[in-house]
Amino acid sequence: MASRKSPGKAHREGISLVQFCDMFPTEESARKWFEKIVWPNGRTCPRCGCADTRKASATSPLPYYCRGCQKPFSVKIGTALQKSNLPLRKWVFAIYLEMTNLKGVSSMKLHRDINVSQKSAWFMLHRIREAWSGELEKAFEGSVEIDESMFGGRRANMSNAKRKELREAGMRQGPQGKTIAIGAKNREAGKVAARVVDSVDGETLPGFVDQVSEPDATVCTDEARGCKGMNRDRESVNHSVSEYVREMAHVNGIESFWSMLKRGYHGVYHHVSPKHLERYICECAGRHKLREADTLDQMREVVARLVGKRVLYRELTEG
């Protein structure tokens, strides 16, 4: 039976795991795929940009040699994969699994699926998340929904040692010891911008809105106190009296984003530290933006975004 397509909407091309295994049967196939994305105009040295390169000698630990800076290199150099000893084929499968699971994949599952240690799987996933590090969609036009969300447990349930740890680390904690995040969704483009914030007071919330939306955008919010001083064309709904939609005034889109993220937070990861929460939020926003793209296009976008990025294990584990 022929597959049915939604009228007026492009059909998203997914790839089954069996098909994917056939596409990347060897390390060579994975290497060529990475190189085509990282070097779309031909191989160049990631250190000096020189195009005068050749294959390295058989004794070299890296596959290519630059005649300009006279150093060996690989496709991993200059990307978030630099200094990774894992085969590129395992990286391809890790990116595939992370992008085809709407709520993400846990390090425990990844370590079993691609046969690496849980520690390596955890670091791989954070390197993949680096593709979205610092990513904040800007200049939303039209209708922009704004809503905050809170993550974490109650401070009353924390041990004294944990409270002291959070206080000394300066972790951003809101009511009942929760970490606060704020998000914006552009209805027309379907894009999301989200960040961890210290509070949603009358300064922080309007500042975030100004950062991510055009001055003439229509802002839709709930009745949060931080929204009331906003100098914007604003529509709001009052959840406290069970008002969720009034004509075009609602925040259902951004609430749906938070709902998806929290299903991953509770059902996949079970716990995310305040230190790393923003990395998970940014990745979820990036995945949301690519949700209508073909699987391979999503993966290509991730790899392209890893170029020029770098994250060290000690940076993730310190503090």
Side-chain angles (χ1 to χ4, degrees):
M1 180 182 294
S3 62
R4 292 179 293 179
K5 300 180 182 180
S6 301
K9 189 175 183 180
H11 180 62
R12 180 180 178 276
E13 287 290 335
I15 301 175
S16 71
L17 183 57
V18 173
Q19 290 174 313
F20 194 77
C21 291
D22 290 340
M23 292 176 63
F24 296 97
T26 63
E27 177 68 7
E28 179 73 5
S29 61
R31 180 185 61 78
K32 288 181 178 179
W33 183 78
F34 266 98
E35 290 178 358
K36 185 179 289 188
I37 299 169
V38 176
W39 300 318
N41 300 315
R43 187 173 66 222
T44 57
C45 175
R47 295 190 178 93
C48 67
C50 179
D52 188 7
T53 66
R54 63 170 172 80
K55 288 189 175 182
S57 64
T59 57
S60 173
L62 300 177
Y64 305 116
Y65 180 81
C66 174
R67 292 187 174 94
C69 63
Q70 299 183 347
K71 293 181 179 179
F73 66 93
S74 73
V75 72
K76 294 178 183 177
I77 303 294
T79 75
L81 277 60
Q82 185 167 329
K83 291 195 174 180
S84 169
N85 294 322
L86 295 173
L88 285 170
R89 189 166 180 257
K90 292 197 174 188
W91 277 105
V92 169
F93 274 83
I95 295 171
Y96 169 81
L97 291 170
E98 180 69 352
M99 294 308 294
T100 53
N101 286 276
L102 293 178
K103 296 181 284 292
V105 61
S106 71
S107 59
M108 284 299 295
K109 182 173 184 349
L110 186 64
H111 114 82
R112 291 190 294 264
D113 286 348
I114 65 173
N115 193 27
V116 298
S117 69
Q118 184 273 333
K119 180 179 176 180
S120 293
W122 183 85
F123 191 23
M124 289 178 80
L125 290 169
H126 272 296
R127 282 174 158 180
I128 294 170
R129 290 185 190 104
E130 192 66 16
W132 312 109
S133 177
E135 180 75 6
L136 186 65
E137 291 288 347
K138 298 180 180 179
F140 286 164
E141 299 176 336
S143 298
V144 181
E145 301 175 17
I146 306 292
D147 190 37
E148 75 278 2
S149 190
M150 298 188 183
F151 297 81
R154 298 177 64 88
R155 186 176 291 274
N157 295 334
M158 292 182 186
S159 66
N160 289 332
K162 185 64 176 179
R163 295 185 199 190
K164 182 179 178 181
E165 177 187 338
L166 290 173
R167 186 167 59 251
E168 292 177 348
M171 293 301 182
R172 293 170 277 194
Q173 297 290 308
Q176 291 105 28
K178 291 180 179 289
T179 304
I180 308 170
I182 185 171
K185 180 171 182 178
N186 180 236
R187 288 179 185 169
E188 286 75 14
K191 296 179 180 179
V192 170
R195 279 292 181 268
V196 170
V197 294
D198 293 318
S199 67
V200 284
D201 56 25
E203 293 183 6
T204 305
L205 199 150
F208 173 82
V209 174
D210 291 341
Q211 186 180 6
V212 300
S213 62
E214 293 285 2
D216 58 350
T218 299
V219 176
C220 299
T221 71
D222 57 18
E223 284 296 312
R225 283 180 295 178
C227 300
K228 294 181 179 179
M230 196 180 299
N231 186 23
R232 284 292 191 126
D233 180 12
R234 184 170 72 95
E235 298 282 348
S236 64
V237 289
N238 192 347
H239 289 174
S240 64
V241 294
S242 299
E243 181 186 44
Y244 297 96
V245 178
R246 189 181 66 256
E247 296 180 350
M248 294 302 293
H250 64 82
V251 289
N252 293 346
I254 187 64
E255 285 184 338
S256 177
F257 169 79
W258 290 129
S259 178
M260 175 63 74
L261 178 60
K262 287 192 174 183
R263 285 199 290 273
Y265 181 93
H266 295 293
V268 176
Y269 306 112
H270 305 302
H271 170 74
V272 175
S273 70
K275 176 179 179 178
H276 296 309
L277 178 60
E278 190 164 288
R279 299 176 63 84
Y280 288 81
I281 291 174
C282 290
E283 183 194 26
C284 191
R287 190 188 292 116
H288 182 85
K289 183 173 69 172
L290 296 176
R291 67 194 184 284
E292 299 297 338
D294 295 346
T295 299
L296 282 178
D297 288 338
Q298 292 181 13
M299 294 177 62
R300 292 187 191 102
E301 178 75 7
V302 170
V303 173
R305 286 173 171 272
L306 293 177
V307 177
K309 299 287 184 72
R310 189 77 189 277
V311 59
L312 302 178
Y313 187 80
R314 67 173 179 269
E315 293 174 349
L316 296 171
T317 56
E318 284 178 351

